[in-house]
Amino acid sequence: QVQLVESGGGLVQAGGSLRLSCAASGRTFSGYAMGWFRQAPGKEREFVAAIRWSTGSTHYADSVKGRFTISRDGAKNTVFLQMNSLKPEDTAVYYCATGWATAQPMNVMTSPDKYNYWGQGTQVSVSS
């Protein structure tokens, strides 16, 4: 059974930082990508960042590029999303997900349909 559990969300002021974690279990992830998505009330789920587990190659949404960093700790099966210079527009529930990514560049792994398993989400709220 694949399980993804997000943590680290909370309330932060604009300009602040937050670090999200996604604890993954149930399989080895060497052939997979890990992605972060977010969903604000009334909006569709939006791609944030993706990382290839085996190589660490990454891809980011334009809205977060330069501010957010996705990384992984292979030994701990944990994916992180370091969020800096947070804006109120970043307010959303953040989800981690995993999907098969062999021979798929990370810039292709931007659709929720590419991912098979999802965590429960963690709330990030950014105030002005």
Side-chain angles (χ1 to χ4, degrees):
Q1 181 184 43
V2 174
Q3 187 173 49
L4 307 174
V5 180
E6 303 97 331
S7 62
L11 176 63
V12 65
Q13 291 183 317
S17 297
L18 210 57
R19 183 178 176 87
L20 305 183
S21 298
C22 175
S25 62
R27 70 183 179 196
T28 58
F29 291 88
S30 60
Y32 294 82
M34 306 296 295
W36 284 99
F37 291 77
R38 64 188 184 187
Q39 189 165 24
K43 296 186 177 181
E44 294 184 354
R45 194 161 296 188
E46 176 189 26
F47 170 77
V48 176
I51 185 168
R52 188 183 300 281
W53 191 268
S54 60
T55 66
S57 61
T58 59
H59 178 66
Y60 297 91
D62 289 342
S63 59
V64 306
K65 191 173 184 179
R67 299 188 297 121
F68 291 10
T69 302
I70 187 171
S71 62
R72 88 281 194 231
D73 184 332
K76 297 181 179 180
N77 277 354
T78 301
V79 180
F80 303 97
L81 185 68
Q82 178 66 48
M83 304 184 294
N84 299 325
S85 301
L86 282 162
K87 305 174 181 179
E89 305 90 84
D90 296 318
T91 296
V93 176
Y94 282 70
Y95 300 88
C96 67
T98 185
W100 183 250
T102 298
Q104 296 287 339
M106 290 301 97
N107 62 3
V108 173
M109 300 297 293
T110 59
S111 171
D113 293 339
K114 295 285 188 177
Y115 297 84
N116 305 113
Y117 298 96
W118 295 81
Q120 83 287 351
T122 186
Q123 176 71 49
V124 172
S125 298
V126 185
S127 64
S128 300

